[in-house]
Amino acid sequence: MVLLVRNRVKDIDHWKRVFDEQEAAGMAAGLSVQRVWRSVDRPDEVFFILGVEDRAMAEAYMATPEAAAVGEEAGALEGEFWFLEELPAPEAG
C-alpha cells in the first residue's frame, strides 16, 4: 500500500527542507518516502508517494497535532491524500 499526497505550498524550497527534516518521524509511523514530484504547470504544487507499512498507524500519525504543525511550518496551503493499492498488470499475450 502507498499513500499519494498532493500539496499546494507557499515556497517549494522551504517546503522541501521541512519535508526532508521530517523523514525520521514518518519512518517511526511506518511511512517511507518513495517519490517526490513538482508540477511542471503549477510550480507551487507537489506530489509525493509514501510507502505504508500499516494504514492505521499512518492515519493515527497524520491525525496528530504535531503532523498538522509540520504542514503549517512547511507552508502547505492545501492538500489531499489517497491510500492506494496496486492492481495486477495485464497478462502479456
Side-chain angles (χ1 to χ4, degrees), residues 37-91:
W37 298 274
R38 177 183 190 169
S39 173
V40 172
D41 297 321
R42 295 188 64 185
D44 66 340
E45 196 166 52
V46 294
F47 298 82
F48 53 98
I49 291 182
L50 304 173
V52 177
E53 284 182 30
D54 180 286
R55 181 177 179 170
M57 190 166 60
E59 288 176 327
Y61 168 72
M62 292 167 51
T64 65
E66 293 81 11
V70 168
E72 187 174 320
E73 177 189 347
L77 301 172
E78 66 175 26
E80 53 192 336
F81 63 89
W82 304 268
F83 285 94
L84 306 172
E85 58 187 7
E86 190 169 351
L87 294 174
E91 293 183 25

Side-chain angles (χ1 to χ4, degrees), residues 1-3 26 29-35 49-54 58:
M1 179 177 295
V2 297
L3 179 60
L31 299 169
S32 58
V33 176
Q34 295 186 351
R35 302 291 297 261
I49 291 182
L50 304 173
V52 177
E53 284 182 30
D54 180 286

